[in-house]
Amino acid sequence: TNIERCKSGNLLEVSKVVKGLIGREAMRGLSTGERKMLHAARQILASEVGLAQSISYQEAEDRIERALHS
C-alpha cells in the first residue's frame, strides 16, 4: 500500500507513491486522505533530494515537479 511504501524509507517506493497519486489526481481527483498522502510523500522526496544534492528544499521541489511533468 501507499502507506507502507512511504514508511519504507526507500525513495524509489516513495516516488512511486507520488507518481501514482499524481496520475490518479489527473484521472479522477483525490480523496482527502490521498491528498494528505501525496503531500507527505512529496515532502519526504523533496527533503531527501535536497540533502542528496545539497540544494534548498524549494529547488528540490522544483526539480521534482519538472521531472514529473517532462
Side-chain angles (χ1 to χ4, degrees), residues 42-43 45-51 54-66:
R42 287 180 77 137
Q43 283 185 314
L45 200 55
S47 293
E48 292 296 327
V49 168
L51 286 171
S54 298
I55 57 176
S56 71
Y57 181 85
Q58 185 60 51
E59 177 61 26
E61 279 188 325
D62 293 344
R63 287 185 185 187
I64 292 165
E65 191 65 28
R66 284 192 304 270

Side-chain angles (χ1 to χ4, degrees), residues 25-59:
E25 183 177 37
M27 298 279 293
R28 64 166 177 83
L30 297 176
S31 69
T32 301
E34 289 170 327
R35 271 194 301 276
K36 287 180 182 179
M37 175 67 62
L38 177 57
H39 179 73
R42 287 180 77 137
Q43 283 185 314
I44 293 167
L45 200 55
S47 293
E48 292 296 327
V49 168
L51 286 171
Q53 297 290 312
S54 298
I55 57 176
S56 71
Y57 181 85
Q58 185 60 51
E59 177 61 26

